[in-house]
Amino acid sequence: MSYNEAVSVGFSECRSRGLRCELKEAHLTGRDVWKVKFHAFAPGARGHLHLEYHAYSRELLRVDEKIKDRDRDRGRDRDDWDDDDDGRGHGRGRGKKKGHSKHDDD
């Protein structure tokens, strides 16, 4: 399998998963394995798709697909237009430092 064939097969795998991909890198390892890495995009989501192919048999050996919803990554849903606390954000005491006070208790 050549570089061009590994990349082409990788793009085919990406399309078959319903993703739009941009090639990040592709290289042949010393163990006759092509590693083809993509930035992957789906409607409202993004992530990566990493594929490994055997250089001679062309067998797909490994798939690492991580696609995350963009709105969840920002910590807020599009539907949550108001500032009230509905259990998914600030205002519940999370993240506050405990055990520190501004005044001494002497």
Side-chain angles (χ1 to χ4, degrees), residues 32-85:
D32 299 327
V33 174
W34 277 104
K35 292 188 175 194
V36 185
K37 299 179 181 182
F38 295 98
H39 296 288
F41 305 91
R46 65 179 170 195
H48 72 257
L49 177 64
H50 296 178
L51 306 167
E52 293 183 8
Y53 294 98
H54 189 268
Y56 297 106
S57 70
R58 294 168 173 74
E59 177 186 2
L60 179 61
L61 302 173
R62 184 170 176 262
V63 177
D64 178 19
E65 178 182 339
K66 292 189 179 150
I67 310 296
K68 294 183 180 178
D69 183 27
R70 284 189 225 168
D71 293 329
R72 289 187 191 265
D73 290 345
R74 291 184 191 131
R76 184 176 287 231
D77 290 333
R78 277 187 214 186
D79 299 346
D80 191 17
W81 54 268
D82 58 358
D83 290 335
D84 64 343
D85 180 31

Side-chain angles (χ1 to χ4, degrees), residues 1-17 19 21-27 34-38 49 51-53 58 60:
M1 177 182 275
S2 69
Y3 172 88
N4 289 337
E5 186 178 358
V7 171
S8 178
V9 171
F11 273 116
S12 293
E13 183 69 27
C14 188
R15 282 191 299 275
S16 74
R17 294 170 178 271
L19 302 171
C21 288
E22 295 174 1
L23 182 64
K24 184 176 176 183
E25 70 173 282
H27 64 276
W34 277 104
K35 292 188 175 194
V36 185
K37 299 179 181 182
F38 295 98
L49 177 64
L51 306 167
E52 293 183 8
Y53 294 98
R58 294 168 173 74
L60 179 61

